[in-house]
Amino acid sequence: MFQSTLNFYSLLIPLILMSMGFVTLLFCKLKSLSNYLAFYAIALICVGLSLFLHSIFIPSVLLQLLPFVFGLYFLSCVLHAHAIYLRLGIQSNWKMLFILLSLGIVAHAYFAIWYDSQTLRMLITGVITACIYLNNPIDFFKIKPQLKIDRYLKALTITLTTIALGRAILLNHLVVPTEMISTSAMLWASTQLLLIVIDIIFLGIFISCSIQDILDKLKLERNRDPLTGLLNRRAFKEYVQQMHWVDQPTPKALMIIDLDHFKQVNDHYGHFIGDLALQHSSKILSQSLSEHDRISRIGGEEFVVILNNASPEHALNIADAIRHQLYQSPLYYAEHQVKLSISIGVSFFEEYQYFDHAFQEADDYLYQAKKMGRNLVQSKFSPV
């Protein structure tokens, strides 16, 4: 039933793969790392187990177990492909993956138990492997990753798909006779070695991606206000400084926004409701802006907005729309209805060197709006 020549070295690569998978999975759980790394860890365990079973049984027994052994292999491909797609932000085609997994198991059962054909088994393995990795080909080839590490991941996936197809075709029709495939220990060893090299490269890329995720998360936490999720004062200053290097002389508007009577909200309803009011206001402000604009919470109840490529008329329309929407959208919590309003000072500038002057000007107009009764938008274009 078991191989008479079985020794530690014949099991080395399967054990290495399973160990890599278990260690990576444990590390993912302990450190709460990205899901794609966990999926890849399980894929390593599955492919290692399939190689382990392939190594320990004699050919006659292995032939009966091939559907199960290759079921594990195809499952590892499904999990691996899903890990890649998760990282690249592509939706896995689960219906197609289920069909391919089922087709692979059924085909290996037929061509192993009822009609023994190693040539067709190898060809089917290569084709189904390639199809699994390209289960959503339109989105896969259409996506253009921004990070270099993600471009490497996409390129390596294409390479793996090409190897899976090319190996099946070359071994069956151009290089190796069918009987040699079954008896060549060197061929089997080289196949295992190629597999572990590819898996180690993928593991290195996934770990690098996970580290990048951690760095991005830390950067996001550093740059975001924890209560509202908006840019904090530090991040806003960095954005303004970056304008010095990439700035083009285009019309920009600067808005300084302040919640009216916010201290009274805190005193009357409590700080919990006050925090909800800030979150409520932040959401309305953010929804009114485009992806090219920037908004930051720079103080307790004070916000600042930069509108890029905005004419004075357009900027004032946005400011008044924000003011009106917030005033018409009270905060509801339990039995409380909290009416909110904002005052806005607006200034205009074109180049970075005029930002400080524009900021002071907007602050002056904000003070003017509050002095005139609040719930107003004031700028140099406002009527006196």
Side-chain angles (χ1 to χ4, degrees):
M1 181 175 180
F2 297 104
Q3 292 279 8
S4 58
T5 58
L6 189 64
N7 56 57
F8 174 76
Y9 296 102
S10 61
L11 300 178
L12 183 60
I13 290 180
L15 290 175
I16 289 175
L17 288 173
M18 286 190 287
S19 299
M20 286 166 49
F22 279 117
V23 170
T24 303
L25 186 60
L26 180 62
F27 198 66
C28 286
K29 296 301 180 183
L30 292 177
K31 300 297 182 180
S32 300
L33 299 180
S34 304
N35 285 339
Y36 56 78
L37 191 57
F39 275 105
Y40 184 62
I42 301 173
L44 286 175
I45 295 171
C46 290
V47 72
L49 183 57
S50 70
L51 287 176
F52 179 82
L53 296 175
H54 201 289
S55 301
I56 64 174
F57 291 113
I58 60 176
S60 58
V61 174
L62 181 62
L63 202 62
Q64 302 300 313
L65 295 176
L66 272 184
F68 176 73
V69 172
F70 275 92
L72 282 172
Y73 165 75
F74 289 132
L75 178 60
S76 75
C77 293
V78 168
L79 295 170
H80 187 185
H82 183 56
I84 294 169
Y85 281 35
L86 274 178
R87 172 61 199 181
L88 296 179
I90 305 172
Q91 182 67 42
S92 295
N93 188 339
W94 286 107
K95 182 177 180 181
M96 178 61 69
L97 288 172
F98 178 77
I99 292 172
L100 291 169
L101 179 62
S102 303
L103 185 61
I105 294 173
V106 171
H108 273 278
Y110 181 78
F111 290 111
I113 299 173
W114 291 285
Y115 180 76
D116 186 12
S117 174
Q118 188 170 8
T119 300
L120 290 176
R121 289 201 303 269
M122 291 190 64
L123 190 60
I124 288 169
T125 299
V127 171
I128 289 183
T129 299
C131 290
I132 286 174
Y133 282 100
L134 298 179
N135 63 86
N136 188 351
I138 296 176
D139 289 346
F140 180 82
F141 285 107
K142 184 167 62 176
I143 192 169
K144 296 180 180 179
Q146 299 297 315
L147 296 177
K148 184 181 292 187
I149 192 71
D150 290 332
R151 293 197 291 270
Y152 288 156
L153 181 62
K154 181 178 179 180
L156 187 58
T157 305
I158 295 172
T159 302
L160 180 60
T161 303
T162 305
I163 290 174
L165 279 174
R167 176 181 173 276
I169 295 171
L170 289 174
L171 288 180
N172 279 283
H173 299 290
L174 300 180
V175 180
V176 185
T178 303
E179 61 275 9
M180 184 179 173
I181 299 174
S182 303
T183 59
S184 175
M186 180 61 70
L187 182 61
W188 175 243
S190 64
T191 299
Q192 285 190 313
L193 182 61
L194 177 62
L195 179 62
I196 196 170
V197 169
I198 292 174
D199 284 333
I200 289 174
I201 294 173
F202 265 111
L203 181 59
I205 290 179
F206 278 128
I207 290 175
S208 298
C209 290
S210 190
I211 293 172
Q212 182 65 51
D213 285 345
I214 293 173
L215 294 176
D216 290 343
K217 184 179 180 181
L218 291 174
K219 183 178 179 181
L220 183 64
E221 291 175 352
R222 175 180 177 271
N223 291 337
R224 294 289 174 179
D225 171 53
L227 179 63
T228 63
L230 302 179
L231 292 178
N232 56 27
R233 180 186 287 270
R234 180 199 298 113
F236 183 75
K237 286 182 177 179
E238 290 178 355
Y239 173 74
V240 172
Q241 290 170 357
Q242 290 171 3
M243 292 169 60
H244 176 66
W245 303 107
V246 300
D247 194 23
Q248 298 294 329
T250 55
K252 303 175 183 68
L254 176 66
M255 296 192 294
I256 299 182
I257 304 169
D258 196 82
L259 278 175
D260 297 329
H261 303 297
F262 183 68
K263 185 177 183 301
Q264 294 180 16
V265 173
N266 274 330
D267 292 343
H268 184 73
Y269 297 103
H271 288 282
F272 177 73
I273 299 294
D275 288 346
L276 292 181
L278 286 171
Q279 293 173 337
H280 178 72
S281 304
S282 300
K283 183 177 180 181
I284 290 176
L285 292 174
S286 300
Q287 290 174 344
S288 304
L289 304 176
S290 76
E291 60 180 7
H292 304 293
D293 304 325
R294 290 294 182 273
I295 178 172
S296 169
R297 181 188 176 202
I298 60 171
E301 67 272 22
E302 192 171 38
F303 305 86
V304 61
V305 173
I306 292 181
L307 300 178
N308 291 295
N309 295 314
S311 65
E313 181 182 5
H314 177 63
L316 292 175
N317 286 338
I318 291 178
D320 199 58
I322 292 172
R323 181 197 62 78
H324 180 75
Q325 184 176 358
L326 183 63
Y327 188 70
Q328 296 298 322
S329 306
L331 169 66
Y332 293 97
Y333 181 77
E335 298 178 356
H336 300 295
Q337 176 181 317
V338 184
K339 292 285 288 185
L340 299 170
S341 67
I342 52 176
S343 299
I344 306 177
V346 188
S347 62
F348 308 93
F349 68 106
E350 291 191 356
E351 299 180 48
Y352 166 80
Q353 59 183 322
Y354 302 114
F355 175 81
D356 289 340
H357 174 74
F359 191 92
Q360 184 59 55
E361 188 177 42
D363 196 48
D364 291 341
Y365 283 123
L366 172 65
Y367 176 77
Q368 182 176 314
K370 287 185 171 294
K371 189 176 179 180
M372 294 175 64
R374 294 180 169 81
N375 193 26
L376 290 172
V377 176
Q378 287 293 298
S379 74
K380 67 180 181 180
F381 298 102
S382 302
V384 180

